[in-house]
Amino acid sequence: MFYIVSFDISDDRDRYRVVKIIKEYGIRVQKSVFECPRLNEGQLLRLKHRLEARIDHGCDSVRYYPLCRECLSKMEYSGVGGLPDIDNFKMI
């Protein structure tokens, strides 16, 4: 499944660690937004578990947005960057 993962982390050290974790699963497209193109259910659960242990639940947030192939094909952008590679994207 393709996921957009975004976050708002107040502490610099925690933010750095969150970024380091998410980079293992996806590609950074903005400062606090990652595209994670090929997460299976187990990988998503591990990612969530790792991030849950890192964030301050009183002031931080992490959001996970699942996107289907049809939604990805309608994606638009402006400025720097590009469309995600959906040619090799398969729904399982």
Side-chain angles (χ1 to χ4, degrees), residues 25-81:
Y25 298 87
I27 300 159
R28 191 179 213 167
V29 293
Q30 292 183 352
K31 293 275 187 192
S32 61
V33 179
F34 283 77
E35 292 177 351
C36 301
R38 291 173 186 83
L39 286 184
N40 62 39
E41 187 176 347
Q43 291 169 318
L44 178 63
L45 291 174
R46 279 192 298 279
L47 173 60
K48 285 181 175 181
H49 178 75
R50 293 176 69 189
L51 295 178
E52 289 292 313
R54 176 57 53 204
I55 69 170
D56 179 342
H57 293 270
C59 60
D60 298 338
S61 75
V62 179
R63 295 175 179 255
Y64 308 87
Y65 298 95
L67 295 176
C68 67
R69 182 181 262 287
E70 184 177 341
C71 294
L72 286 170
S73 69
K74 295 176 184 176
M75 184 193 146
E76 298 178 23
Y77 73 97
S78 297
V80 179

